[in-house]
């Protein structure tokens, strides 16, 4: 039963696409009729878009109220003192405000983007050196508008399915997943543990990246 | 750019996303993802899962002082958000950051082979290797896991050919002899979670014990 919902990590470098799709396909069977609707969008993502596009301070306050306790909880659980965690939360919230123009809702939900910023900052602080991060693939505002508006909603639906899948896991499995993403597991423990099947989500983000590359190329050629 | 055929294993992408990976391996992940959209998508999928867990997490009330500090900071233009340097030639931004310059400070190892150590800590080390065409890549595993990312040229061994962007994941039980391709000097980013073998400055007894 564990096999149904999880896959083993391997070290061969082969992405477990087949396993991921089989897994997600099973969940999707029940919800084939679900069509993208604007209501399916995530309110945190809407807030972040409002911060990006309108420098909306009320939306920012909502993001703060939603994420700052969660970020603090996560950082304390992964080993920081409360004071150090609050310093990181402060930096994360100010980074959200200043880097909102880089946010691309067709590739990331607000919580995913904020999760990454928090990890980057936390690791900068605990290792006292900058965390190596991938070069940014920047979405220009004009290309973002030409990409399909429902890409974000599609991502939201994938997220809802993944959330259901996590909730359907046996308690012990769910706890391992939570501990891994909170940052309580070591590299060796993550290597030993089984992982979530993220194949269909990966494919969707991959598509968004392809579109972005395409648009950026067109822009450059103009 | 040629097609990347050798990608990061899942557990590495996930360990990076969750913040549990040491500096040397993180450098390889960041450098590979910089040029591989397949692994960028996998990393962003992991971050989506991380965001879901964050969203459902039982929080911890922040102090009133934190709220004040954050909202005071919004209009404070002195707050600087640190940026990683941009890519320089074949070197992704993360590598430029680790080099502390736009090009490596090479040190000769003999036979035309050079290296530039980028980082070394208790969790492992990372360095750049410069291998002239047709030369064997020095085998520097020391009982750990080794990741080798090609930044220029290529190398081949018993397991296949590795071109620009490809990453080889080798356990110490892999007995291989990689040879640089004839088309160009091969420049690789190599990271290991074991102490460096032929740096030779640290007495064996002082070398820390590692968890694999
Ligand atoms: Zn890849």
């Amino acid at each position: 039963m564990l096999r149904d919902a999880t896959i083993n990590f391997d070290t061969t470098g082969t992405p477990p696409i087949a396993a991921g799709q089989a897994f997600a396909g099973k969940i999707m069977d029940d919800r084939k009729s679900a069509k993208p609707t604007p209501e399916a969008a995530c309110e945190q993502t809407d807030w972040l878009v409002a911060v990006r596009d309108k420098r909306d301070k009320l939306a920012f306050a909502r993001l703060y109220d939603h994420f700052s306790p969660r970020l603090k909880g996560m950082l304390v659980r992964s080993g920081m003192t409360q004071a150090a965690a609050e310093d990181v939360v402060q930096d994360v919230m100010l980074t959200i405000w200043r880097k909102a123009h880089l946010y691309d809702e067709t590739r990331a939900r607000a919580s995913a983007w904020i999760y990454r910023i928090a990890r980057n900052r936390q690791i900068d602080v605990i290792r006292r050196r900058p965390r190596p991060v991938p070069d940014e693939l920047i979405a220009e505002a004009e290309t973002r508008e030409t990409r399909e508006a429902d890409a974000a909603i599609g991502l939201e639906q994938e997220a809802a399915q993944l959330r259901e899948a996590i909730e359907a896991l046996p308690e012990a499995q769910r706890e391992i997943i939570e501990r891994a993403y909170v940052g309580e597991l070591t590299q060796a423990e993550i290597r030993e543990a089984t992982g979530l099947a993220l194949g269909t989500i990966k494919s969707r983000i991959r598509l968004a990246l392809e579109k972005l590359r395409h648009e950026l190329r067109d822009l450059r050629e103009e | 750019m040629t097609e990347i055929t050798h990608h990061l294993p899942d557990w590495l992408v996930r360990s990076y996303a969750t913040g549990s990976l040491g500096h040397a391996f993180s450098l390889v992940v960041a450098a590979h993802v910089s040029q591989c959209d397949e692994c960028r998508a996998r990393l962003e999928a992991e971050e989506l899962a991380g965001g879901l867990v964050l969203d459902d997490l039982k929080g911890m009330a922040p102090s009133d002082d934190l709220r004040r500090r954050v909202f005071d900071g919004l209009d404070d233009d002195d707050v600087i958000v640190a940026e990683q340097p941009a890519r320089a030639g074949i070197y992704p931004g993360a590598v430029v950051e680790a080099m502390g310059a736009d090009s490596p400070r090479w040190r000769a190892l003999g036979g035309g082979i050079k290296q530039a150590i980028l980082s070394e800590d208790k969790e492992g080390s990372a360095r750049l290797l410069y291998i002239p065409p047709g030369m064997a890549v020095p085998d520097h595993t020391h009982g750990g896991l080794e990741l080798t990312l090609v930044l220029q040229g290529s190398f081949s061994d018993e397991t296949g050919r590795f071109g620009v962007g490809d990453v080889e994941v080798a356990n110490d039980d892999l007995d291989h002899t990689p040879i640089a391709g004839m088309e160009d000097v091969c420049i690789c980013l190599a990271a290991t979670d074991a102490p460096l073998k032929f740096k030779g400055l640290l007495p064996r007894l002082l070398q820390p014990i590692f968890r694999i």
Side-chain angles (χ1 to χ4, degrees), chain B residues 127-170:
Chain B
R127 61 175 158 178
L128 293 164
L129 290 169
Y130 176 107
I131 306 114
M135 292 290 291
V137 180
D139 171 25
H140 51 285
T141 48
H142 201 109
L145 183 75
E146 186 183 68
L147 308 177
T148 310
L149 171 70
V150 178
L151 299 175
Q152 176 187 296
S154 70
F155 69 80
S156 298
D157 66 12
E158 293 82 346
T159 68
R161 181 184 182 276
F162 296 81
V164 172
D166 283 330
V167 61
E168 183 178 56
V169 180

Side-chain angles (χ1 to χ4, degrees), chain B residues 79-157:
Chain B
V79 179
I80 295 163
V81 176
E83 300 280 352
Q84 184 174 272
R87 181 183 184 89
I90 61 168
Y91 303 106
V95 175
V96 175
E97 170 90 55
M99 292 190 296
D102 278 359
S103 55
R105 276 183 285 268
W106 294 116
R107 279 166 183 253
L109 285 176
I113 296 169
K114 302 179 215 174
Q115 73 167 349
I117 294 173
L118 299 181
S119 78
E120 206 178 359
D121 61 25
K122 63 179 167 49
E123 286 172 300
S125 63
R127 61 175 158 178
L128 293 164
L129 290 169
Y130 176 107
I131 306 114
M135 292 290 291
V137 180
D139 171 25
H140 51 285
T141 48
H142 201 109
L145 183 75
E146 186 183 68
L147 308 177
T148 310
L149 171 70
V150 178
L151 299 175
Q152 176 187 296
S154 70
F155 69 80
S156 298
D157 66 12

Side-chain angles (χ1 to χ4, degrees), chain A residues 120-164:
Chain A
N120 287 351
R121 186 60 195 152
Q122 178 193 18
I123 290 166
D124 287 351
V125 168
I126 55 183
R127 295 190 182 272
R128 294 191 187 87
R129 65 191 298 174
R131 182 191 198 196
V133 296
D135 293 335
E136 290 270 8
L137 186 57
I138 297 164
E140 304 290 339
E142 51 266 49
T143 78
R144 195 163 51 218
E145 280 157 20
T146 61
R147 278 177 286 145
E148 291 157 62
D150 60 13
I153 293 161
L155 198 60
E156 197 49 40
Q157 288 186 324
E158 300 279 2
Q161 285 161 16
L162 180 62
R163 186 192 297 266
E164 279 181 27

